[in-house]
Amino acid sequence: MSLTFFTPGPAQLYPTFEKHLQTFVSEQLGSISHRSQQYRDLHKFTVDQLRTLLNVPDSHAILFLGSASEAWERILFSCVELESFHLVNGSFSKKFYDYSLGLCKYAHSQEKPMGEGFSASEVIVPEYAELICTTHNETSSGVQMPVSEIHKLKQKYPDKLIAVDIVSSAPYPELDFNLIDTAFFSVQKAFGLPAGLGVWIVNEKCLRKAEEIKKQYSIGAHNDLPTLWKNAQNNETPATPNVMGIYLLGKIAEDFNKIGVKNLRKETEQKADLLYKFIESTNGFSSFVKEKRYRSQTVIVTNTDQSSAGIIKTIKEKGMVIGSGYGQFKSSQLRIANFPATSLEQVQSLIHELKAL
Amino acid sequence: MSLTFFTPGPAQLYPTFEKHLQTFVSEQLGSISHRSQQYRDLHKFTVDQLRTLLNVPDSHAILFLGSASEAWERILFSCVELESFHLVNGSFSKKFYDYSLGLCKYAHSQEKPMGEGFSASEVIVPEYAELICTTHNETSSGVQMPVSEIHKLKQKYPDKLIAVDIVSSAPYPELDFNLIDTAFFSVQKAFGLPAGLGVWIVNEKCLRKAEEIKKQYSIGAHNDLPTLWKNAQNNETPATPNVMGIYLLGKIAEDFNKIGVKNLRKETEQKADLLYKFIESTNGFSSFVKEKRYRSQTVIVTNTDQSSAGIIKTIKEKGMVIGSGYGQFKSSQLRIANFPATSLEQVQSLIHELKAL
């Protein structure tokens, strides 16, 4: 039986994935040199499609890494000489903070319990922090920081660099890259691809900062920003990249562009609305995130009165896979991914089965 | 027209690749959670197959990274507090050295021109160097360091750690992991898979060293050795890995084990022998590597009297792709990969066409 995955990553593969994979295989793209014009054209195609989709200006490069976790490290190496600042309200924002400690930086944080969100007005960034690290969508708790609040935060601290984790939300958030210095995501979430590729969007200010830091400190050796940037100017990467992932991402981004990102966002909101309405109106379910404006549109988290493991099992028998809660909430919550790969009809089917429990 | 790739990576995909890819897709393995038992079983299968294939004892973990270049960085972070030592005789051994400088380590080197190899007896490792970095197969020049010389080098300096780059030769070299502390390779060479996955074999001594260094210095934050090691004990990875790559690698390693690594090695030597005999006996061609014992069995490099670009073009019209020389030798050399994905018959066809030039 073919399953439909509503898990928050790895997630349901996008419906066109198989077709694009077939083309990759039949055109023997797995064997082409990463120093050939054929590769450079493929690379440029993906960058161009992402640039259109996410409205990324030429001030920013779009770079490829092994994963979004690698982006945490490369951003900290490149943008922080001594002190970083982190908004922490879940496991993934906490890991960004931990990475800073791991690089022996002085990492400041402002913390909230899981399930709560941040507004710009309540955030106080320490004077010497060089980089503000935010998480648009906390995959562990289903909290989102509204894009308007992220923009306000940068406007409140215009002299500091700001990084936005959009791992489990891109291309949903409509970031203004005139304000956002760097952002990153991975392909196994809303892009509906197998894992193994991270995308790092980063501007020239970060590059200049990395070059400055490099005079005194290590900024890493593998995929360091100046080397990545230089190679990207020529549509190449420093080491042999995940050519298959880059190709597939370009094709999916092209599919998204054909639909139009506005339509994708609208559909995401429609589906999220159905899910939240179901949760709010059904006995045995309640939204983990109490404040509506902080509720994620892409990873919906519900408390469950019953053990969530039982619900997951029953729903799986109906051909659908939903995620458990994260960490301490493993058995008392469900996480339901709401990515473009699952249609309105599939979300309705899921709700239908959840209602029948 | 379907092409046969004799390029040194990305290279010809292994004949069973498509079949395994099809299974990956039909079993929906691109959507499974990397924290599920299903993933852990898949992970363990690949590790077990590699352990058998490369005869890796339980003292060593087999870990997954984004690329072999990432392994350079992680090895240096983990095994070098202050000083490393590098045998440098080509572009890739030089990059390993450059990575050490990039991490602000004191990097020593002993250098030879491209095309020349090292014997253990001539190598002098500085007293305070903690790690000896060797390259079994220099992809840029077609020089190999005989495995016996690598073993002798470790026996000459038993108190130092030794790392072996087997990127473009594994599973050909029969390393004795009772002597070798760490080695690494990527999958787009002799394993005949698309790029995007690095494999890091590393022993407990390296782990202890990393834990020691960590008390005073950063050992990196992403894929740091203690975290990778801890996750590997549970057949997991710290971040979402390239599940597709890990799955395919396990299946190819299983195919290799069915053939038997001894047979694979013998066939590699037979094919290399044919290629070198052709080069030595044909006007217009001559081996770049003069000393036979340093000639690579997996990446064969020949000088060409004619411009190599012309030869590459003519051969491509016959349905075969061969690599150009590296760097300064781009137009005066050919690099011919000799990996398991290309059969004896295909090598014979290539030689036939080269003879007809």
Side-chain angles (χ1 to χ4, degrees):
Chain A
M1 181 176 67
S2 176
L3 298 168
T4 305
F5 286 83
F6 290 92
T7 45
Q12 178 74 12
L13 300 184
Y14 197 68
T16 56
F17 160 73
E18 276 193 59
K19 183 183 78 182
H20 298 315
L21 184 66
Q22 208 49 60
T23 308
F24 179 86
V25 171
S26 66
E27 293 190 0
Q28 295 189 285
L29 299 177
S31 299
I32 66 170
S33 166
H34 58 297
R35 302 295 175 219
S36 66
Q37 190 56 43
Q38 193 179 4
Y39 173 74
R40 287 189 286 269
D41 292 345
L42 181 164
H43 183 115
K44 184 174 186 302
F45 180 84
T46 300
V47 169
D48 288 349
Q49 291 296 331
L50 289 174
R51 212 176 266 293
T52 300
L53 184 71
L54 302 172
N55 198 17
V56 178
D58 287 338
S59 50
H60 292 59
I62 299 178
L63 308 171
F64 300 110
L65 301 172
S67 65
S69 308
E70 189 184 349
W72 284 332
E73 189 186 58
R74 297 301 134 180
I75 288 169
L76 292 162
F77 261 136
S78 308
C79 302
V80 181
E81 183 178 335
L82 302 169
E83 301 187 25
S84 63
F85 172 76
H86 304 259
L87 292 177
V88 175
N89 58 345
S91 300
F92 294 95
S93 47
K94 175 69 162 45
K95 279 194 186 176
F96 202 170
Y97 169 82
D98 289 339
Y99 267 48
S100 188
L101 296 178
L103 297 182
C104 299
K105 310 286 183 189
Y106 193 98
H108 303 267
S109 70
Q110 188 168 333
E111 304 200 13
K112 282 206 173 187
M114 276 177 79
E116 294 184 23
F118 293 99
S119 69
S121 61
E122 64 192 339
V123 174
I124 309 291
V125 181
E127 188 179 353
Y128 294 110
E130 301 147 64
L131 174 72
I132 303 170
C133 299
T134 69
T135 302
H136 171 257
N137 195 66
E138 196 20 282
T139 320
S140 63
S141 67
V143 168
Q144 79 175 23
M145 182 162 181
V147 162
S148 57
E149 295 300 321
I150 297 174
H151 291 161
K152 274 186 213 158
L153 184 57
K154 171 71 182 190
Q155 283 160 329
K156 194 171 160 187
Y157 296 102
D159 297 336
K160 297 187 189 297
L161 295 170
I162 190 164
V164 189
D165 176 338
I166 51 172
V167 166
S168 56
S169 56
Y172 175 72
E174 200 175 342
L175 291 177
D176 178 355
F177 282 100
N178 293 310
L179 291 170
I180 303 306
D181 298 291
T182 182
F184 55 97
F185 63 92
S186 47
V187 301
Q188 76 275 15
K189 310 283 186 182
F191 284 86
L193 286 172
L197 182 67
V199 178
W200 182 16
I201 303 166
V202 57
N203 73 4
E204 285 190 63
K205 268 193 230 168
C206 297
L207 175 66
R208 299 296 159 233
K209 175 96 188 187
E211 288 167 341
E212 241 347 270
I213 297 172
K214 200 184 173 179
K215 292 176 186 167
Q216 266 197 287
Y217 300 93
S218 173
I219 55 166
H222 178 61
N223 283 340
D224 69 279
L225 182 53
T227 307
L228 272 169
W229 188 288
K230 192 176 153 221
N231 277 268
Q233 301 307 304
N234 197 30
N235 292 304
E236 290 188 13
T237 54
T240 317
N242 182 341
V243 180
M244 186 191 265
I246 294 170
Y247 171 79
L248 295 170
L249 178 59
K251 300 310 279 184
I252 299 290
E254 183 186 33
D255 293 335
F256 283 3
N257 281 323
K258 282 178 187 162
I259 295 167
V261 71
K262 276 197 169 58
N263 292 327
L264 274 182
R265 286 171 180 151
K266 202 183 291 171
E267 201 181 282
T268 298
E269 287 166 2
Q270 281 172 344
K271 293 185 297 173
D273 196 46
L274 286 182
L275 285 162
Y276 281 117
K277 276 194 176 130
F278 158 75
I279 291 165
E280 293 293 290
S281 65
T282 309
N283 282 335
F285 294 91
S286 62
S287 276
F288 179 45
V289 182
K290 296 305 162 209
E291 280 193 74
K292 274 195 180 167
R293 64 201 226 95
Y294 296 131
R295 284 183 190 161
S296 168
Q297 299 296 297
T298 52
V299 179
I300 284 92
V301 179
T302 175
N303 299 311
T304 57
D305 288 354
Q306 297 177 44
S307 151
S308 60
I311 300 175
I312 291 168
K313 192 164 170 285
T314 306
I315 294 297
K316 193 168 179 182
E317 286 160 8
K318 306 291 180 186
M320 289 175 275
V321 185
I322 42 182
S324 66
Y326 196 92
Q328 64 180 114
F329 300 105
K330 188 173 170 65
S331 61
S332 61
Q333 292 185 352
L334 295 171
R335 288 183 301 153
I336 302 170
N338 177 32
F339 297 148
T342 47
S343 67
L344 185 67
E345 291 69 30
Q346 288 172 316
V347 170
Q348 284 167 333
S349 298
L350 174 64
I351 291 172
H352 179 79
E353 295 300 342
L354 285 169
K355 273 186 179 159
L357 279 174
Chain B
M1 180 178 65
S2 175
L3 298 168
T4 305
F5 286 84
F6 291 92
T7 45
Q12 178 74 11
L13 300 184
Y14 197 68
T16 56
F17 160 73
E18 276 193 58
K19 183 184 77 181
H20 298 314
L21 185 66
Q22 208 49 60
T23 309
F24 180 86
V25 171
S26 65
E27 293 190 1
Q28 296 189 284
L29 298 177
S31 299
I32 65 169
S33 166
H34 58 296
R35 303 295 177 218
S36 65
Q37 190 56 43
Q38 192 179 4
Y39 173 74
R40 286 190 286 270
D41 292 345
L42 180 162
H43 183 114
K44 184 174 185 304
F45 179 83
T46 300
V47 169
D48 287 349
Q49 291 296 332
L50 289 174
R51 212 175 266 292
T52 300
L53 183 71
L54 303 172
N55 199 18
V56 179
D58 287 338
S59 49
H60 292 59
I62 299 178
L63 309 172
F64 300 111
L65 301 171
S67 65
S69 307
E70 189 184 351
W72 284 332
E73 188 185 59
R74 297 301 134 179
I75 288 170
L76 292 162
F77 261 137
S78 308
C79 303
V80 181
E81 182 179 334
L82 302 170
E83 301 188 24
S84 63
F85 171 77
H86 304 258
L87 292 177
V88 175
N89 59 346
S91 300
F92 294 95
S93 47
K94 175 70 160 46
K95 278 194 184 171
F96 202 170
Y97 169 83
D98 289 339
Y99 268 46
S100 188
L101 295 178
L103 297 183
C104 298
K105 310 285 182 188
Y106 193 99
H108 303 268
S109 71
Q110 188 168 333
E111 304 201 12
K112 282 206 174 186
M114 275 177 80
E116 294 185 22
F118 293 99
S119 69
S121 62
E122 66 192 338
V123 175
I124 308 291
V125 181
E127 189 179 352
Y128 294 109
E130 301 147 64
L131 174 72
I132 303 170
C133 299
T134 69
T135 303
H136 172 256
N137 196 66
E138 200 12 288
T139 319
S140 64
S141 67
V143 168
Q144 79 175 22
M145 183 162 180
V147 162
S148 58
E149 295 301 320
I150 297 174
H151 292 162
K152 275 185 213 159
L153 185 56
K154 170 71 182 189
Q155 284 160 330
K156 193 172 162 186
Y157 297 102
D159 297 336
K160 298 186 188 299
L161 295 170
I162 190 163
V164 189
D165 175 339
I166 51 172
V167 167
S168 56
S169 56
Y172 175 71
E174 200 175 342
L175 291 178
D176 178 355
F177 283 100
N178 294 308
L179 291 169
I180 304 306
D181 299 290
T182 182
F184 55 97
F185 62 92
S186 48
V187 301
Q188 76 275 15
K189 311 282 185 179
F191 284 86
L193 287 172
L197 181 67
V199 178
W200 182 16
I201 303 166
V202 57
N203 72 5
E204 286 190 61
K205 269 192 232 169
C206 297
L207 174 66
R208 299 298 158 232
K209 175 96 187 188
E211 288 166 342
E212 244 343 274
I213 297 171
K214 200 182 174 181
K215 292 175 185 167
Q216 266 198 287
Y217 300 93
S218 172
I219 56 165
H222 177 61
N223 284 340
D224 69 280
L225 182 53
T227 308
L228 272 170
W229 188 287
K230 191 175 155 225
N231 277 268
Q233 299 308 301
N234 197 29
N235 292 304
E236 290 189 11
T237 54
T240 317
N242 182 342
V243 180
M244 185 191 265
I246 293 170
Y247 171 79
L248 294 170
L249 177 60
K251 299 311 278 183
I252 298 291
E254 183 187 33
D255 293 336
F256 284 2
N257 281 324
K258 283 178 187 162
I259 295 167
V261 71
K262 276 195 169 58
N263 293 326
L264 273 181
R265 285 169 181 154
K266 202 183 293 172
E267 201 181 281
T268 298
E269 286 166 3
Q270 281 171 344
K271 293 185 297 174
D273 197 45
L274 286 182
L275 285 161
Y276 281 118
K277 276 195 178 131
F278 159 75
I279 291 165
E280 293 294 290
S281 65
T282 309
N283 281 337
F285 295 92
S286 60
S287 276
F288 179 45
V289 182
K290 295 305 163 210
E291 278 193 76
K292 274 194 179 167
R293 63 201 228 96
Y294 297 130
R295 283 182 192 162
S296 168
Q297 299 296 297
T298 52
V299 180
I300 283 94
V301 179
T302 175
N303 298 311
T304 58
D305 288 356
Q306 296 178 45
S307 151
S308 60
I311 299 174
I312 291 168
K313 191 162 171 283
T314 306
I315 294 297
K316 193 168 180 182
E317 287 161 7
K318 306 293 179 182
M320 288 174 275
V321 185
I322 42 182
S324 65
Y326 196 92
Q328 64 180 113
F329 300 106
K330 189 174 170 64
S331 61
S332 61
Q333 293 184 350
L334 295 171
R335 287 183 303 153
I336 302 170
N338 176 31
F339 297 148
T342 47
S343 66
L344 185 67
E345 292 68 31
Q346 287 172 316
V347 170
Q348 284 167 333
S349 297
L350 173 64
I351 290 172
H352 179 80
E353 295 301 342
L354 285 169
K355 273 186 179 161
L357 280 173

